[in-house]
Every structure is written in C-alpha cells, then in structure tokens.
Amino acid sequence: MFQAAMQAELHDAFQKSPFDKLSDGNVAEVLPRALTALADWAVAQQRIRLLRTVTAEGVRFPHIAAAYHAALVGRIIAPLKALLDTWIDRGQIDRHDSEHSARQLVAMIMGQVQQHAMMNGSKLTKEQLATYARAGADLFLGGHAGTGQQSFLIRTDGNIRQGSTREHPAPCN
C-alpha cells in the first residue's frame, strides 16, 4: 500500500517540470527566471513532503528512492541541461560539462530552499526565492560566461545584463 501511494505521489509531483513554460532567450535573462521557477516548484508542500518521506524511507524502499532520482533527472536536470546546451551552442556560455552544471544548479537551488522549508517550517517569499535564484545564476554565469572573455553581470535597478572587461575595465589598485 505504501509503495503504491509513493509511486502515485512521485508521478503527481513530477508531472510538470518548472521549465515547461520557459521561453527561449538570452542566458542572462532566462537563467534567473528558470532558477526562480525551480525554487518555487521545489518548495511546494507536496514536494517537501515527498522529499521528507523519500529521505526517511529510502533505506527500506530503495526502489522508491531510485524512482525519485530518476524523476528528478528526467523532469528537472535533463531540461535544464538542454537549456545550457542551447546557450553553449550559441556561444552565450563556455563549453563545459552541461550535465554536471545542471546537477550543480539544481542541487544549489533546491538544497537551499528545501532545507529552509524543512528545517524552519516557514515558507520563503516569492522575493526570497527570486533572490536565491538570481544569486545562483550570477554565480554560474560568473564562471561560464561565453565568448572567451572575462565576463561579469551588471545589476542595475533589478535588471541584469552581461558585460565584459572590454566594456567596463577593472579598476586599478
């Protein structure tokens, strides 16, 4: 009975990907939105409950833990990897192991927001979720910005755009 209920819960929880409604575009604009959607998706009560249960019962029911992992890979990591691959192909981010990056981004965002929900029992605001997502996107883009030049993000009035050291030279010390 427990196993059937868990399979149904897994199916329902992962039925929709947070990336299903994202439009294609520039990495500096889309990645923060994608990670905000992921953060919002990850803190839904259903997914917090499911994570608690899988964590608690994974040793006794390893096939349920494996099914959770497979759903996470198929519905979350793979679509994010596909976005990263698109941006790599366009030269918006450097060539690198996009699957590894997708896993790291998912772990960073989901870990932060789900841990908060599980440990504090309080819900993060939409603004907090967006702040965590923007910070994750900034960190990622700081290390993987494309075109082979040292790039960084410029934040002005909440808007983010990618810049380069050619446009804005570093100050001399």
Side-chain angles (χ1 to χ4, degrees):
M1 182 118 168
F2 172 75
Q3 294 180 50
M6 286 301 296
Q7 290 295 341
E9 189 72 13
L10 272 169
H11 178 271
D12 190 43
F14 284 94
Q15 188 171 7
K16 293 183 180 181
S17 169
F19 310 123
D20 285 345
K21 294 183 180 180
L22 283 178
S23 61
D24 193 17
N26 184 286
V27 64
E29 296 167 9
V30 176
L31 186 59
R33 287 198 325 259
L35 297 181
T36 299
L38 174 62
D40 190 48
W41 178 91
V43 296
Q45 280 303 113
Q46 175 189 35
R47 290 182 197 88
I48 297 298
R49 252 189 343 266
L50 181 60
L51 179 60
R52 276 191 183 111
T53 305
V54 169
T55 301
E57 300 296 339
V59 172
R60 289 184 346 147
F61 300 98
H63 61 285
I64 292 174
Y68 178 90
H69 182 259
L72 187 66
V73 169
R75 296 297 291 150
I76 307 301
I77 294 169
L80 183 54
K81 178 192 179 303
L83 281 171
L84 295 174
D85 287 339
T86 298
W87 295 323
I88 288 170
D89 291 343
R90 292 180 182 164
Q92 293 179 16
I93 57 176
D94 290 334
R95 290 207 172 277
H96 68 284
D97 185 344
S98 59
E99 182 175 353
H100 184 72
S101 286
R103 287 178 180 276
Q104 287 181 323
L105 285 166
V106 167
M108 178 173 45
I109 298 301
M110 287 181 65
Q112 186 167 19
V113 300
Q114 287 181 328
Q115 182 179 2
H116 178 86
M118 289 173 56
M119 302 299 176
N120 298 328
S122 63
K123 192 165 174 116
L124 293 165
T125 66
K126 297 283 185 190
E127 292 78 24
Q128 288 171 310
L129 295 174
T131 297
Y132 291 144
R134 277 191 305 272
D138 287 353
L139 182 64
F140 175 80
L141 292 172
H144 293 289
T147 69
Q149 55 186 326
Q150 185 179 0
S151 299
F152 57 92
L153 297 178
I154 302 165
R155 191 182 304 269
T156 338
D157 300 330
N159 295 320
I160 299 172
R161 74 172 183 84
Q162 195 166 349
S164 74
T165 53
R166 287 185 192 158
E167 296 169 10
H168 305 280
C172 297
N173 291 343

